Amino acid sequence: MPVETRYEHGVLVIGLKGELDHHAVEQIRDRIEEQLEEHGYRGLVMSFRNIDFMDSSGLGLILGRYRTVTEHGGKMALCEVSTSLRRLFEMSGLLKILPVYESEEAAMAAILGA
């Protein structure tokens, strides 16, 4: 699964693409962890704009990164979530602990305290 990563103002922005299933999650998790360890844990934004499918292992990926980032004093936000993914996040209780924003810019602003 292709993953775009970039840093803006000390915040790691992840652009996920394709299918987020158990086959892709391990590789993505490792890449995100490497980036966070290298550049710091100030914040993490995960964009779901180009996700076609996600199963429960994707929820595990999100929750695991949330735990890692918050344990290091950082903040995390999700953005550009489709209606079907939003329902999945709602049913799983994810929306009770993680904010979801319409755009990357709004998620970045929230993490940076703007």
Side-chain angles (χ1 to χ4, degrees):
M1 168 188 224
V3 177
E4 293 178 4
T5 62
R6 70 180 191 284
Y7 266 86
E8 286 186 35
H9 308 291
V11 176
L12 176 60
V13 180
I14 302 290
L16 301 164
K17 294 182 178 181
E19 296 187 357
L20 190 55
D21 59 16
H22 69 281
H23 296 292
V25 163
E26 186 175 329
Q27 199 173 27
I28 294 166
R29 181 193 66 230
D30 292 346
R31 185 158 178 200
I32 292 171
E33 289 296 329
E34 287 171 8
Q35 293 286 319
L36 289 170
E37 286 176 21
E38 184 176 335
H39 298 285
Y41 294 86
R42 180 176 184 189
L44 173 62
V45 171
M46 295 180 78
S47 171
F48 292 83
R49 177 182 351 152
N50 296 311
I51 288 293
D52 301 321
F53 171 81
M54 188 174 95
D55 66 13
S56 61
S57 58
L59 294 172
L61 172 73
I62 296 165
L63 290 170
R65 289 340 87 219
Y66 173 76
R67 185 176 56 244
T68 299
V69 169
T70 57
E71 284 175 355
H72 287 88
K75 296 180 182 178
M76 183 172 164
L78 310 178
C79 65
E80 302 173 318
V81 174
S82 69
T83 304
S84 59
L85 276 182
R86 186 177 286 272
R87 278 194 300 268
L88 176 64
F89 292 170
E90 197 171 297
M91 288 188 299
S92 70
L94 192 67
L95 296 181
K96 292 179 182 173
I97 61 168
L98 265 169
V100 175
Y101 297 93
E102 294 297 318
S103 67
E104 281 185 16
E105 293 79 17
M108 286 288 296
I111 286 179
L112 296 172

